[in-house]
Every structure is written in structure tokens, then in C-alpha cells.
Amino acid sequence: MQAPAPDATDYLRRILNARVYDVARRTELQHATVLSEQLGHDILLKREDTQPVSSFKLRGAYNRISGLPADVLARGIITASAGNHAQGVAWSAAQLGAPAVIVVPQTAPRVKVDATRRFGGPTVEVVEAGESYNEAFAHALALQRERGMTFIPAFDDPDVIAGQGTVAMEILSQHQGRIDAIFVPIGGGSLAAGVATYVKMVRPDIRVIGVQTHDSCAMARSIEAGRRVELPEVGLFSDGTAVKLVGEETFRLCRDYLDEVILVDTDEVCLAIKDIYKDTRRFVEPAGALAVAGARRYASQAGARRFTLVAITSGANLNIDRIRFIAERAAVGESREAIFAVSIPEERGSFLHFCELVGERNVTEFNYRLGTDDKARIFVGLQIDDRAEEAPLAATFEAAGFSVVNLGGDELATQHIRHMVGGRSTDAQGERLFRFEFPERPGALMRFLRSMSPEWNISLFHYRNQGADCSSTLVGIQAGADDAALTRFLDRLGYPYREETANPAYRLFLR
């Protein structure tokens, strides 16, 4: 018979007695001076990015592992993880001298895999298996049965949840004055569950707000539906929170104790990474910036009263190759760049007139190509101080007789089209355009090409390495009358994709 789930009082006791400080540190609650001045609210950063493994995950992992009986610990532990949990388990196993096996997918960020090996040392075996977390998890379960080891869950376990809840215990002891809201990133939900349960037991007046990305919002969808909802796909930019299905226990606690869940996009996360760097001179990973992105959005909608907001910076295991992409997208998230597609008459003086309208404004991107009809298209990026400047700019161009499309929120335009402007192909008849997320591993592209019908033609291809475990790839395909077969092929392929054939940026510049 399964034991009943712990109630809130039991979780309070577990958190107060959690064994985390053998390995974890009591991280700083830092006043974010620059961000506070910018937003007009007091922003405090709970610096979990400064833990020994650069992530809060050490707390829950060690609390779970250190509670195992000596004979069980001697037989070894095993887990599956794509990143920070793996490092927490490796560090904990090394400190306790326990044998451990950590299974990571072959697509896991290299910086996290290398750190897991380094933290674990000779007692920890890192096994790379499968193309996804689910496949790595299945392999870990098979090894567990074979070797008789104990599985350490990444989030759906009371001791893991209690370990993460010590973050809230520290926040409330470090700042005993007014706190209006605490922002917590959500992946599987252990941190949010632990923090929300503790805060609502001790300081129910404080709002606890979860933060997820729009494309990895399993907890938000589950709370809305009143049951756990499994997402068919998740976005991988914030790889630390890319979870398709949250835990049963974490869902129960978040449903009961979270006040709300805020959703943010990639540009907002990149801006939050930049915000954190300004105040700390430290780059956090995307998942580590989610809480700040949520706090920024919350603050922008607040009234005149000055709020005190706490954001948990949950991790700093950032692949350095991502910084170029983050800097590029932070400008959009900061509303510092307006992007337009402008059609001007193909006649003498039109281009000069357009440039005169731009005037002294700083140009961030400018692509112009002579048209094949009576219109020429310009892809232009302009520096602005506020998103409210976009509409007057567009009106100025339209008043001059130019047709304008605002591309600022268009993912295809910001990811691909701005790098591809240069002309159309008269031979691309019947082309359908798709944007894929290809895993960054050898053979991914060849798998795609070899599985295509030889009757189909690739008419366009553009690849962008984001410095992550997944790349954004734009592909044009001419399938003729075989559209139904193409759709079946794409659905079987297993790579997340979105059709962009009707996208206005594509039709203006490449179609």
C-alpha cells in the first residue's frame, strides 16, 4: 500500500530538517541595484547560481541521497538527467563516497556533461545514451534493474522537494521585511513546489509566482487543466526547464500553493540574462534567468506602489557559445530594436527618400535588393528606446506611400530572414517552408536527408547554430502533388517543426 503524500506541515518539518549544508552553501540574497533603478522596484536576487555546482539542484539531490541507509548507499545510486541534476548527484555521490551511474542523453549540453564527470570523479560513471531525456531515463531504469541501484529522481520526490525548499527558508531569514512576491523558475517543479509550500506555511501574505517559457509550459497548462498535461514537444533554449510532463507530487503542491504562473519568451529571457550580468558580472543559463524575466514582466504591469520582488537565479551552467545569440536577442527583448519590412516603389529617388525618413536614427540592420516587379523590399532594423516608438515609425513610412510590415515579434524574421535577404528564385514553384529544431549532434542532418523521398527537392536551406543542444534550421521543400506524404514524413521524423509558408517575411523577401 502506497504511503499518503506528505501534507504541508510535514513538508515544513522536512524542510527545516533537510540535510543540505554538508555540501550546499547559504547563498546571498543580493540587491540588484541596476535593475531596481531601471524598473522602479526593489529587486532581490537569490544567488543559487553560486552553489558549488552552479545550481540549486545540489540541495535536493544531497538531501535525498544522504538519507539512504548505509547498505543501500553502498550498492550505489543511479539517475537520468540532461544537466544540473546530474551535477548535483555527481557532487553528492563524490562527497559521500558512493558509487553512482548518471545517464545523460547524447544531446545534453557538453558543458554540463563535462562538469558532471569532473564533479563525480572516480566513483561516478557517466553514460551517454539515447537522443532525448526519455530515452536516457529508460536506459537508466534498465541499468537500475540490472545493477540493483537506487534511482534518484530529478524532481518528483518529497526529499528532493524538501531540499529545494531550503531556498525559501533562507530567503525569509535573510529578508524579514516586506516581500511582495517571490519568482521561481519551473521545469519539473521541485523548486517551485518546495518554495511555495514553505512560504505559504510561514508567510502566506507573500505571493509565489512560477515562471516558464511559452514553449515549455507543462506546469501552467496542467494547473489550468486541473490535471497533469504532457506536452508533445518542448522548446530547448531554456534546456534546464524543458520538461514535457511535470511530477505528480510537484503538480499537487504547485496547484495548491502557487499564486500564478507567468509565461515569458526567448527575448525576455535573453534580456534577463543581460540584466543579471549588469548587476552580478556573471552569466547565468536561460533557466537561471527565468525568474528575473518573470519579475521584470510583473513589475512592468504593477501600479505606482514600489514593490519588493525576489527572483531566484537558479543556475549558471551556460554554454559560452550561446552568448552571441543571447546578445542579439536581448536587444529585441529590451525593446531596443524595431524590425520592419518596407516595400518602396521601384523608381529613382525612392531609396533616397526612405533613407531620409530614417534620418539620424541608428540603423542595426539594413538589407536592400532590387525587385523583379514594381516594388523593392527593404529589411531594416532601427534602434529605439521604447516599443511605443514602433507605431509612429511605421506611420511615418506609410505616410510617405511605403507599405510596412512590423516584424519585431516574428521568430522567422529575427532568426533567419534577416540573414538571408538577397533575392528570390523563379524555380521555387510549389515550395513549402518549414522551421525545424535539429539536435546538435553528428548525423542529425543526414538522418533528415536520407529519410526524404527522392521525388522531393530541397529548394532552400538555412542553419543557425545558437550555441545550444539544438539549432534552428529553415528548409524549403518542393514535394509536388505529394503534400499528404510530406506531412506524414514530417510527423514521423521526430524533430519539432513549424510550417512558415504563409509567413509575411518569407513572402516579401524570399518567395
Side-chain angles (χ1 to χ4, degrees):
M1 182 176 176
Q2 187 175 1
D7 62 16
T9 302
D10 187 31
Y11 268 111
L12 180 61
R13 178 185 58 79
R14 285 172 181 253
I15 292 169
L16 291 171
N17 292 283
R19 186 179 170 186
V20 301
Y21 297 109
D22 293 348
V23 294
R25 62 185 298 268
R26 192 173 187 267
T27 56
E28 179 185 5
L29 186 64
Q30 176 182 347
H31 183 257
T33 306
V34 177
L35 186 58
S36 297
E37 182 178 336
Q38 182 181 351
L39 298 182
H41 299 277
D42 292 313
I43 310 297
L44 305 176
L45 305 179
K46 180 56 175 169
R47 298 292 309 282
E48 286 300 289
D49 57 290
T50 63
Q51 288 291 357
V53 298
S54 298
S55 165
F56 74 96
K57 285 286 191 177
L58 181 61
R59 295 175 183 263
Y62 188 81
N63 192 48
R64 177 71 173 87
I65 296 167
S66 63
L68 294 173
D71 60 328
V72 174
L73 195 61
R75 288 197 296 272
I77 57 175
I78 188 168
T79 196
S81 171
N84 290 338
H85 176 63
Q87 295 173 75
V89 170
W91 185 280
S92 301
Q95 297 302 305
L96 294 168
V101 174
I102 298 172
V103 183
V104 301
Q106 294 169 341
T107 54
R110 184 51 48 187
V111 64
K112 296 185 179 181
V113 175
D114 292 343
T116 300
R117 288 196 170 96
R118 186 172 67 253
F119 292 145
T123 66
V124 176
E125 176 187 358
V126 178
V127 177
E128 297 186 49
E131 297 183 353
S132 66
Y133 170 77
N134 288 343
E135 292 180 9
F137 178 76
H139 188 74
L141 291 182
L143 289 177
Q144 177 197 20
R145 292 189 293 268
E146 176 186 318
R147 304 189 188 185
M149 293 176 144
T150 299
F151 191 86
I152 307 300
F155 46 83
D156 203 25
D157 178 272
D159 289 327
V160 172
I161 293 168
Q164 323 300 29
T166 58
V167 174
M169 182 175 66
E170 290 177 16
I171 290 172
L172 298 189
S173 68
Q174 289 169 315
H175 187 89
Q176 297 177 7
R178 194 187 83 227
I179 296 176
D180 294 286
I182 298 174
F183 294 83
V184 192
I186 302 179
S190 64
L191 180 62
V195 168
T197 303
Y198 184 87
V199 169
K200 291 305 179 181
M201 287 295 291
V202 178
R203 291 280 304 275
D205 57 301
I206 299 175
R207 291 176 63 80
V208 183
I209 300 173
V211 188
Q212 295 189 290
T213 57
H214 286 283
D215 55 6
S216 294
C217 57
M219 185 65 80
R221 291 274 303 277
S222 298
I223 292 174
E224 182 181 5
R227 58 179 175 79
R228 289 196 302 158
V229 173
E230 183 171 5
L231 304 179
E233 300 291 345
V234 290
L236 297 178
F237 176 67
S238 179
D239 56 272
T241 54
V243 174
K244 292 183 179 180
L245 181 66
V246 299
E248 291 183 13
E249 181 67 350
T250 57
F251 165 67
R252 181 180 74 86
L253 295 171
C254 287
R255 178 197 60 198
D256 292 347
Y257 297 113
L258 275 183
D259 289 284
E260 65 175 301
V261 178
I262 288 178
L263 302 183
V264 296
D265 60 28
T266 296
D267 296 333
E268 290 174 290
V269 175
C270 290
L271 175 57
I273 293 172
K274 181 179 177 180
D275 288 333
I276 295 166
Y277 179 78
K278 286 180 180 178
D279 269 301
T280 68
R281 289 300 183 264
R282 182 175 173 89
F283 283 113
V284 300
E285 62 188 282
L290 277 182
V292 171
R296 173 182 268 277
R297 173 171 283 230
Y298 186 88
S300 69
Q301 300 168 354
R305 184 168 74 85
R306 190 177 181 94
F307 286 97
T308 298
L309 309 176
V310 176
I312 301 172
T313 56
S314 60
N317 289 296
L318 177 69
N319 186 334
I320 198 69
D321 294 336
R322 282 185 166 193
I323 292 178
R324 173 178 58 86
F325 174 82
I326 290 167
E328 178 182 293
R329 298 301 292 266
V332 180
E334 201 174 10
S335 300
R336 297 296 301 274
E337 183 184 38
I339 302 174
F340 299 108
V342 183
S343 298
I344 67 175
E346 196 62 275
E347 59 188 37
R348 294 184 183 278
S350 291
F351 183 59
L352 175 61
H353 184 35
F354 173 78
C355 293
E356 289 172 342
L357 293 175
V358 171
E360 298 300 315
R361 191 177 294 274
N362 187 39
V363 177
T364 57
E365 185 93 19
F366 204 105
N367 293 296
Y368 170 79
R369 177 69 166 166
L370 183 70
T372 56
D373 51 17
D374 61 346
K375 297 285 186 183
R377 273 83 183 185
I378 298 172
F379 186 106
V380 61
L382 301 172
Q383 185 174 316
I384 56 177
D385 294 322
D386 189 270
R387 188 63 69 196
E389 296 180 37
E390 287 181 330
L393 265 173
T396 299
F397 297 143
E398 288 170 346
F402 302 149
S403 176
V404 180
V405 177
N406 187 340
L407 300 177
D410 191 315
E411 190 73 12
L412 178 69
T414 54
Q415 277 273 60
H416 295 282
I417 299 295
R418 72 189 305 164
H419 304 286
M420 299 177 68
V421 175
R424 306 175 180 187
S425 172
T426 57
D427 294 327
Q429 300 301 315
E431 178 181 75
R432 291 176 66 186
L433 191 71
F434 299 92
R435 180 157 50 91
F436 293 90
E437 288 185 355
F438 276 8
E440 282 290 357
R441 65 174 181 274
L445 176 59
M446 288 308 299
R447 176 190 167 197
F448 174 82
L449 295 175
R450 286 171 179 160
S451 56
M452 285 184 62
S453 167
E455 302 300 318
W456 302 338
N457 180 52
I458 291 182
S459 51
L460 177 150
F461 196 92
H462 185 250
Y463 162 92
R464 284 212 78 201
N465 185 328
Q466 300 175 2
D469 56 349
C470 188
S471 63
S472 182
T473 306
L474 193 67
V475 183
I477 301 175
Q478 293 172 295
D482 211 7
D483 275 355
L486 175 59
T487 301
R488 289 194 298 272
F489 157 73
L490 294 170
D491 290 339
R492 287 196 309 267
L493 187 63
Y495 298 152
Y497 76 91
R498 175 177 178 174
E499 183 162 6
E500 298 279 12
T501 307
N503 187 290
Y506 163 63
R507 291 187 169 273
L508 283 169
F509 292 104
L510 297 176
R511 185 64 181 267

